[in-house]
Amino acid sequence: MSYVDEVFDLVVAKNPAQPEFHQAVKEVLESLRVVIEANEEQYRKDALLERLVTPERQLLFRVPWVDDKGQVQVNNGFRVQFNSAIGPYKGGLRLHPSVNLGIIKFLGFEQIFKNSLTGLPIGGGKGGSDFDPKGKSDREVMAFCQSFINELHKYIGADTDVPAGDIGTGAREIGYMYGQYKRLTGLYEGVLTGKGLTYGGSLARTEATGYGLLYLTEEMLKCNGKDIAGMTVAVSGSGNVAIYAVQKAQQLGAKVVTVSDSTGWIYDPEGIDVALLKEVKEVKRARLTEYAAARKSAEYHEKKNGEHGVWNVKCDVALPCATQNELDLEDAKALVANGCIAVAEGANMPTTMEATEYLQKNGVLFCPGKAANAGGVATSALEMSQNSERLSWTFEEVDSKLKTIMVNIFHNLDDAAKKYGMAGNYVAGANIAGFLKVAEAMTAQGIV
Ligand code: GLU
């Protein structure tokens, strides 16, 4: 049996009931097959792949907090410190009822390659909790965040592990966590990114994932002889990534006609009104029904079981910005039938493996999340740089660095795909380019 297949079987056997983690590992290992086979003896002797798929450290902890009725609630807390070969662990904290160890491991594993692709010195990690901030009062969210950090502060630090936001963790949660970290340690340091602008945050960090997604998509289209200006774009999600993806797509001259949340989706043929979307989602923290109620041109569709409406809308470019496995084979077929030419992932692993293969086979340009959404974590690394030098850069400075990083990521993965005989396969290109740097650093550092 080949080394790649052996290691994949090992992952399934050793990590039962973690389907998302298996999926993320399978996608990466399949892409690496040619690279591994060319150097199999050495990699096997060093157990490089076994080390790559095994987190350096996994923290699981209890998070007790008191709700507004005086009742004690208990959530599970997680931090997976996956790989520190090229820098301190870096990756977000997801707060969502679906969070379990397998989800955090899939996200942490993806983060290793994503962070490597940015070209910046950051290792891979991820964390979070099954706590749901939705519907909780500010006091309840603060109580949870403080309890979470009471435990996590022992294991993080500006030079060791730097968490950030993800689904459910935004500016409010990062603020409460930062305050508690500072109180417990007495350190005013860049231990978290996505901080507020008054206490060490970076300009353009809020916009970075969505903007970066569009900078990369624009470059991918350009290199394939297409221009995003004038194109129709379908976006899913309505959180931080989706909002700023819509905004940048519009600035580049595209028309965005959809957004979605967990209960429904919007079709707005006149183009999404970003100011209204921000008001509904960032200020009121309300449902998209409120968007539809305030806007004549918008149609609201209730999400029915197993159906993901936005991908049935005719579009040139699809940007899944909601969550993992939201775009399946049926959706991919609908996109191809409607003439979609490009898909770039704003979320982490939003496209199933079958859907990805179908899109690629049908000539759709497909860029995976670990490249396309790397602008968020890249700008987090820029926030770390600013914190270390105790300076703040201007919006334009950060934004132009972000653009350069995204354009470079695209060319790196495009070149890697060509070099290994898979021109146009950006999934393979991203995994190979991300892996090679980490593998070289791991090899240089010996058996650790
Ligand atoms: N949660 C984001 C991601 O998936 C950002 C992580 C960060 O900024 O550290 O990459």
Side-chain angles (χ1 to χ4, degrees):
M1 202 194 263
S2 81
Y3 183 35
V4 161
D5 294 321
E6 260 173 47
V7 172
F8 181 67
D9 286 355
L10 196 88
V11 166
V12 174
K14 279 200 180 185
N15 304 272
Q18 297 183 350
E20 293 85 2
F21 180 51
H22 303 166
Q23 182 184 342
V25 171
K26 190 168 184 62
E27 185 213 280
V28 170
L29 291 184
E30 282 303 333
S31 303
L32 294 180
R33 211 174 266 281
V34 276
V35 182
I36 303 297
E37 276 166 10
N39 203 4
E40 183 158 333
E41 206 181 321
Q42 191 61 45
Y43 284 154
R44 195 191 271 275
K45 184 157 179 280
D46 291 349
L48 189 103
L49 291 183
E50 289 88 334
R51 287 189 286 139
L52 190 71
V53 298
T54 308
E56 290 177 17
R57 195 172 297 104
Q58 307 185 46
L59 307 162
L60 280 84
F61 50 96
R62 179 170 76 201
V63 190
W65 55 280
V66 183
D67 72 15
D68 285 346
K69 296 192 188 94
Q71 173 65 48
V72 175
Q73 302 286 342
V74 181
N75 286 103
N76 296 325
F78 303 90
R79 185 72 182 167
V80 173
Q81 299 180 330
F82 222 119
N83 191 301
S84 63
I86 64 168
Y89 310 105
K90 183 82 196 85
L93 297 170
R94 178 170 293 191
L95 301 183
H96 192 271
S98 65
V99 164
N100 56 43
L101 185 60
I103 297 269
I104 298 299
K105 277 165 70 180
F106 119 63
L107 291 163
F109 187 69
E110 290 279 295
Q111 204 83 40
I112 302 170
F113 307 94
K114 182 195 309 199
N115 294 4
S116 169
L117 283 170
T118 66
L120 300 166
I122 39 178
K126 199 86 184 192
S129 172
D130 55 0
F131 172 79
D132 188 358
K134 244 182 231 157
K136 304 285 191 302
S137 69
D138 283 350
R139 196 210 59 80
E140 288 176 320
V141 170
M142 180 166 70
F144 167 82
C145 290
Q146 291 181 339
S147 179
F148 186 80
I149 289 296
N150 284 347
E151 185 60 26
L152 191 65
H153 85 277
K154 301 168 198 165
Y155 310 102
I156 59 176
D159 294 310
T160 50
D161 183 357
V162 183
D166 195 79
I167 292 174
T169 305
R172 174 181 62 171
E173 290 74 17
I174 292 291
Y176 293 148
M177 289 182 191
Y178 190 74
Q180 187 70 356
Y181 179 85
K182 183 162 62 71
R183 185 173 196 200
L184 291 169
T185 62
L187 296 170
Y188 207 105
E189 60 170 14
V191 65
L192 290 159
T193 59
K195 298 185 291 300
L197 296 176
T198 52
Y199 62 95
S202 173
L203 285 161
R205 175 62 188 91
T206 307
E207 294 84 352
T209 315
Y211 278 22
L213 172 66
L214 268 296
Y215 292 146
L216 185 137
T217 303
E218 185 188 28
E219 189 66 15
M220 174 171 79
L221 288 168
K222 198 170 102 193
C223 292
N224 285 280
K226 308 259 190 313
D227 185 354
I228 191 161
M231 287 192 174
T232 300
V233 178
V235 168
S236 65
S238 50
N240 171 263
V241 181
I243 290 173
Y244 294 95
V246 173
Q247 187 172 70
K248 184 52 75 178
Q250 292 178 345
Q251 285 171 10
L252 296 176
K255 186 195 240 187
V256 184
V257 291
T258 63
V259 283
S260 65
D261 65 15
S262 55
T263 50
W265 59 282
I266 294 285
Y267 174 59
D268 192 340
E270 306 257 290
I272 296 293
D273 178 340
V274 181
L276 176 60
L277 182 63
K278 279 190 187 179
E279 173 69 18
V280 171
K281 286 292 167 185
E282 289 181 343
V283 183
K284 293 188 181 156
R285 298 178 190 271
R287 294 267 163 235
L288 285 173
T289 40
E290 294 225 4
Y291 177 97
R295 185 145 163 103
K296 260 209 188 92
S297 56
E299 285 170 20
Y300 178 78
H301 298 262
E302 200 75 44
K303 231 178 233 175
K304 293 184 200 94
N305 241 357
E307 164 217 310
H308 322 134
V310 295
W311 311 128
N312 291 312
V313 167
K314 191 171 167 48
C315 66
D316 304 303
V317 176
L319 304 175
C321 297
T323 195
Q324 65 269 6
N325 292 329
E326 55 159 306
L327 196 165
D328 63 17
L329 182 59
E330 223 174 286
D331 301 321
K333 286 182 179 167
L335 285 170
V336 169
N338 279 326
C340 173
I341 60 159
V343 175
E345 297 184 323
N348 291 312
M349 209 172 73
T351 314
T352 65
M353 213 123 84
E354 299 75 37
T356 303
E357 279 163 20
Y358 185 85
L359 292 167
Q360 288 178 317
K361 272 195 195 118
N362 284 278
V364 176
L365 304 171
F366 181 87
C367 189
K370 58 172 75 74
N373 73 37
V377 75
T379 307
S380 278
L382 301 180
E383 183 172 329
M384 290 164 70
S385 300
Q386 293 168 78
N387 292 161
S388 296
E389 62 175 15
R390 304 200 185 283
L391 290 173
S392 302
W393 305 341
T394 63
F395 187 96
E396 289 69 28
E397 215 173 334
V398 180
D399 189 40
S400 93
K401 284 188 166 66
L402 168 65
K403 187 163 186 187
T404 306
I405 290 167
M406 298 314 294
V407 169
N408 284 343
I409 290 177
F410 177 74
H411 287 283
N412 286 343
L413 60 88
D414 191 30
D415 291 348
K418 285 178 184 148
K419 185 170 168 196
Y420 287 91
M422 292 180 273
N425 184 344
Y426 302 138
V427 174
N431 287 327
I432 292 170
F435 166 79
L436 286 173
K437 182 178 174 188
V438 174
E440 200 179 317
M442 285 175 74
T443 303
Q445 291 171 31
I447 305 307
V448 290

